[in-house]
Amino acid sequence: TTIMSSTPLAMQLCGLPVSASASVIQWHMLGMFVPSLFVGDLIRRFGVLTIMTLGALIVLMQIFVNLHGISFGHFVVGLTLLGVGWNFLFIGGSTLLMQAWRPGEQGRVQAAHDFVIFGLGSIGSFGSGALLNASGWNAVNAAALPLLVFALIMIALCRRRMSAPS
């Protein structure tokens, strides 16, 4: 959320027109939601942790793209990758969460999960402009790295626990 929210501001700071920002956000939205048409099949075929790992790697690629240029193309590719990576991580995480609860508990757990995720996303969104203003576009992208590393560690721990004999 932090990167997505600060992208239009960063684009204006780089001298790109407002209409360019609208196009980039449109591509980001496509990246966020189009994969939902097939990510469930990918999870069934390759496993939830593999799809989550792929999502984290896609977000890592997005950071790499964003740190290596400020052209319109960099913003389009970066934010589209962010959307796809977010989708894989969000759908994968929701799937993993539901596997841990009984059917009668899943609705309440999903509601609590979404409340926390979107609440934290709101905080990140509000803070993105301040971070961009204080430290610049590279800092906004670099700020995502510790969270991404944490996510990859948690995915690895889940993989280890799920593969351990019971």
Side-chain angles (χ1 to χ4, degrees):
T1 303
T2 303
I3 294 171
M4 180 198 70
S5 297
S6 61
T7 295
L9 298 171
M11 290 179 70
Q12 283 187 317
L13 292 172
C14 294
L16 295 167
V18 173
S19 60
S21 298
S23 295
V24 168
I25 295 298
Q26 288 171 343
W27 279 103
H28 174 68
M29 291 295 145
L30 288 171
M32 284 179 71
F33 297 111
V34 169
S36 296
L37 298 171
F38 56 83
V39 75
D41 291 331
L42 293 175
I43 288 171
R44 280 187 287 285
R45 182 170 181 171
F46 299 108
V48 66
L49 296 177
T50 300
I51 297 306
M52 290 178 70
T53 301
L54 181 58
L57 294 175
I58 291 170
V59 173
L60 186 62
M61 288 183 346
Q62 167 267 318
I63 293 170
F64 179 82
V65 168
N66 283 352
L67 291 175
H68 283 84
I70 54 171
S71 70
F72 175 74
H74 284 93
F75 284 110
V76 168
V77 171
L79 237 60
T80 303
L81 288 171
L82 178 62
V84 173
W86 175 87
N87 182 285
F88 281 29
L89 285 164
F90 185 78
I91 301 297
S94 295
T95 301
L96 188 62
L97 182 65
M98 292 302 99
Q99 291 173 353
W101 295 89
R102 292 183 291 234
E105 301 167 323
Q106 290 176 344
R108 288 187 303 271
V109 170
Q110 185 70 48
H113 168 261
D114 289 353
F115 177 78
V116 169
I117 293 298
F118 292 116
L120 291 172
S122 296
I123 293 168
S125 184
F126 283 118
S128 67
L131 180 59
L132 178 66
N133 186 50
S135 302
W137 179 238
N138 286 347
V140 170
N141 285 278
L145 286 172
L147 296 172
L148 194 55
V149 168
F150 178 74
L152 285 167
I153 290 169
M154 292 296 105
I155 293 167
L157 290 173
C158 283
R159 187 179 305 279
R160 184 174 172 204
R161 182 172 182 175
M162 291 171 83
S163 66
S166 347

